[in-house]
Amino acid sequence: MSRTRTPSQVKWVVNEIAAIRGEIERIDATLTQLAQRKASLEHVCESLEQVAWAIVPTPPVEAPQIVHAQGRYGRRGALRNWLRETLRQAHPAALDTVSLAQRAIEVFDLQFNSAHERNRFRTDNLGSALRRLVDAGEVERLHDADRRNERTGVWRWKVPTASFDALRAQATRI
């Protein structure tokens, strides 16, 4: 019995085909979920429109404007408030952006369709909220902000520290 050997180029092509088919299958599943969600939301919207026209004596000439309402994290400021509390409870320890993102995903029950979306949430939404807290003086950045290739930041709750003069004045009172 002779042993045959499959050329590496053929193996690579077969692996690529399998990976692409897997990605297509994931996309199809996502499209199915989105189609179901869309149908459900359209049904709710139609029901609300029927209720609105039943309670409004004269319907408006124009349809209501489309609004992209906040609500992904609950009330306005919920993500930032959650970050404040999480970092405050962890103090004096610091937390990195990746673990904060994982906790936020669990707390806010976020769903992402791809790793790209998940990373975009971490860098854009979470990162922006953390930078605003740094600008407000509530959180301190423990990593070098100028290093672009460092992907994971480290953050800690900032506690007010007394100045040397305040400590000297306190020592003289004792």
Side-chain angles (χ1 to χ4, degrees):
M1 175 179 231
S2 69
R3 189 171 171 184
T4 61
R5 186 179 159 124
T6 304
S8 61
Q9 298 91 340
V10 173
K11 289 180 184 177
W12 180 84
V13 169
V14 170
N15 283 337
E16 286 299 306
I17 291 169
I20 290 171
R21 285 184 177 165
E23 182 66 16
I24 290 169
E25 192 174 272
R26 272 194 293 271
I27 290 170
D28 286 341
T30 301
L31 289 174
T32 301
Q33 290 173 341
L34 290 173
Q36 291 171 349
R37 175 131 173 87
K38 181 182 177 187
S40 172
L41 290 173
E42 286 174 341
H43 176 71
V44 170
C45 189
E46 289 170 8
S47 299
L48 288 172
E49 286 173 348
Q50 289 175 1
V51 170
W53 303 147
I55 60 175
V56 175
T58 55
V61 177
E62 297 178 21
Q65 288 184 337
I66 294 175
V67 176
H68 298 283
Q70 285 186 295
R72 188 172 190 180
Y73 315 114
R75 293 186 0 228
R76 184 172 176 83
L79 179 62
R80 228 179 299 171
N81 290 334
W82 175 81
L83 281 169
R84 281 183 186 105
E85 190 57 33
T86 301
L87 290 169
R88 189 179 295 133
Q89 287 178 0
H91 190 271
L95 297 172
D96 65 281
T97 310
V98 174
S99 63
L100 283 169
Q102 183 57 42
R103 289 182 186 186
I105 289 167
E106 292 167 5
V107 167
F108 295 106
D109 193 31
L110 303 176
Q111 303 293 321
F112 299 104
N113 295 319
S114 67
H116 175 72
E117 281 185 15
R118 183 186 190 104
N119 288 336
R120 200 172 70 207
F121 161 74
R122 189 185 79 218
T123 57
D124 293 350
N125 301 89
L126 195 69
S128 175
L130 286 164
R131 287 186 296 275
R132 285 184 182 158
L133 291 172
V134 167
D135 292 343
E138 298 178 66
V139 169
E140 58 185 337
R141 178 186 285 124
L142 301 180
H143 61 281
D144 185 4
D146 293 332
R147 289 187 59 190
R148 300 286 180 230
N149 42 344
E150 183 177 336
R151 299 197 78 154
T152 302
V154 181
W155 314 86
R156 181 173 60 194
W157 184 251
K158 187 174 183 178
V159 293
T161 55
S163 68
F164 185 69
D165 292 335
L167 290 172
R168 186 179 319 161
Q170 187 178 12
T172 59
R173 281 185 256 147
I174 296 178

